[in-house]
Amino acid sequence: MNTHDLRVIANRVRRRDLQAVFEAGAGHIGGELSVTDLLTALYFKIMSVDPANPRAPERDRLVLSKGHTALALYVVLAEKGFIPKDEIATFLKPHSRLNGHPNRTKVPGVETNTGPLGHGLPVGVGMATAAKLNRANWRTFVITGDGEMQEGSNWEAIMSAAQLKLDNLTLIIDHNRLQQGARLADTNDLAPLAPKLAAFGWDVQEIDGHNMDQICAVLDAGQIVTGKPKCIVAHTNKGHGVSFMSDNVAWHHKVPNEEQYNQAMTELKEAAP
């Protein structure tokens, strides 16, 4: 699939995500819009996964550690064929399996339950270690938020991954510079992130997290450095694609009113490739 097709899918995912948040009256639209391009590239270009066999032993694994952006994952999984597209309309409704955080036991394609921040990368280290022990070739990908990197458990996992030479592990940091209620710089400023990961022995690359060509290039298996886990610092914008949401901390989990929804949907439609 070429990058133009990936951009088309990502735009469609954003619009469906926006609609679902508006209809449900809840969600984390800002972070969902920032992570959409990354999820789209992973599922439609990079990862080896089969919606007809979601537990295939040789599949690649994705852990969405920033689990509050579950809706973006659900929409991508629906686009890929893991769940019916019309099921997105049940998001957050009573008895729906599409909860505010992803559930492995309920949703095909979800690899582990996430929500408490700082848990996903340690789980990913375990997955990558298991693949090494089994001499398997599948890869593990973990997406965290930049605010989430303030959790100490992540840095313990970073040390372990380097010690174990987990070159089958890729950490993608959704570096949108914002977290709930404040900017990263005003909370516990970890930036710049790249030199910190490099100091721990990781191969680190920085990209524009909304540039599909850059995303696909850096995630390609040919970019793996033997003996080193990979970290991709993806510079993104919270609320990407919608003018009044972009880089605005208020839209961490704010819900648009009807006027805002219509404006946002118009902007996303006009931006379609």
Side-chain angles (χ1 to χ4, degrees):
M1 184 171 291
N2 61 44
T3 53
H4 176 271
D5 292 338
L6 293 172
R7 288 192 292 271
V8 169
I9 294 171
N11 182 272
R12 189 161 64 239
V13 169
R14 284 191 171 90
R15 284 183 278 138
R16 187 65 188 93
D17 189 295
L18 172 66
Q19 179 187 351
V21 168
F22 177 69
E23 291 174 349
H28 289 80
I29 188 68
E32 288 157 10
L33 295 180
S34 73
V35 80
T36 294
D37 294 309
L38 299 168
L39 288 171
T40 300
L42 284 165
Y43 277 94
F44 287 90
K45 179 72 173 181
I46 301 300
M47 294 200 306
S48 176
V49 292
D50 180 6
N53 189 9
R55 295 291 176 215
E58 293 302 313
R59 71 191 184 280
D60 291 331
R61 274 76 164 170
L62 170 75
V63 176
L64 182 64
S65 191
K66 47 179 290 180
H68 53 284
T69 61
L71 178 55
L73 177 60
Y74 297 150
V75 178
V76 171
L77 290 175
E79 284 282 336
K80 187 69 176 178
F82 282 91
I83 59 177
K85 287 186 178 182
D86 59 7
E87 189 174 353
I88 300 299
T90 73
F91 177 61
L92 295 181
K93 290 185 177 179
H95 308 297
S96 172
R97 59 180 177 172
L98 304 186
N99 298 321
H101 294 86
N103 189 320
R104 181 182 186 275
T105 65
K106 294 182 178 181
V107 184
V110 173
E111 293 293 345
T112 190
N113 295 25
T114 54
L117 299 178
H119 287 196
L121 184 56
V123 171
V125 168
M127 290 177 171
T129 301
K132 287 288 186 181
L133 291 173
N134 290 330
R135 298 180 181 178
N137 293 323
W138 49 268
R139 301 169 68 189
T140 299
F141 300 88
V142 178
I143 299 179
T144 69
D146 48 6
E148 180 181 2
M149 294 305 294
Q150 295 163 353
E151 297 283 354
S153 51
N154 280 322
W155 296 94
E156 294 179 35
I158 287 165
M159 286 188 286
S160 296
Q163 177 69 27
L164 295 169
K165 303 185 188 311
L166 299 180
D167 50 16
N168 57 349
L169 174 66
T170 298
L171 165 64
I172 306 169
I173 302 175
D174 183 12
H175 192 14
N176 60 31
R177 305 172 305 283
L178 298 173
Q179 58 194 101
Q180 182 174 334
R183 303 191 74 85
L184 186 73
D186 298 328
T187 307
N188 182 4
D189 194 5
L190 292 172
L193 286 157
K196 294 177 175 65
L197 271 291
F200 277 84
W202 285 54
D203 173 54
V204 186
Q205 294 178 260
E206 297 190 72
I207 63 167
D208 176 347
H210 300 305
N211 184 310
M212 201 60 78
D213 292 291
Q214 291 185 26
I215 295 169
C216 293
V218 78
L219 287 171
D220 187 83
Q223 292 291 312
I224 292 173
V225 175
T226 301
K228 284 193 172 188
K230 178 178 290 295
C231 173
I232 298 166
V233 180
H235 294 271
T236 62
N237 291 313
K238 204 156 197 167
H240 181 75
V242 179
S243 60
F244 59 89
M245 294 183 186
S246 183
D247 198 37
N248 186 338
V249 70
W251 288 96
H252 179 78
H253 52 55
K254 187 176 178 180
V255 178
N257 59 33
E258 186 172 0
E259 180 181 355
Q260 291 169 327
Y261 169 73
N262 289 332
Q263 180 184 340
M265 191 63 78
T266 296
E267 290 184 14
L268 289 173
K269 288 179 179 178
E270 291 176 348

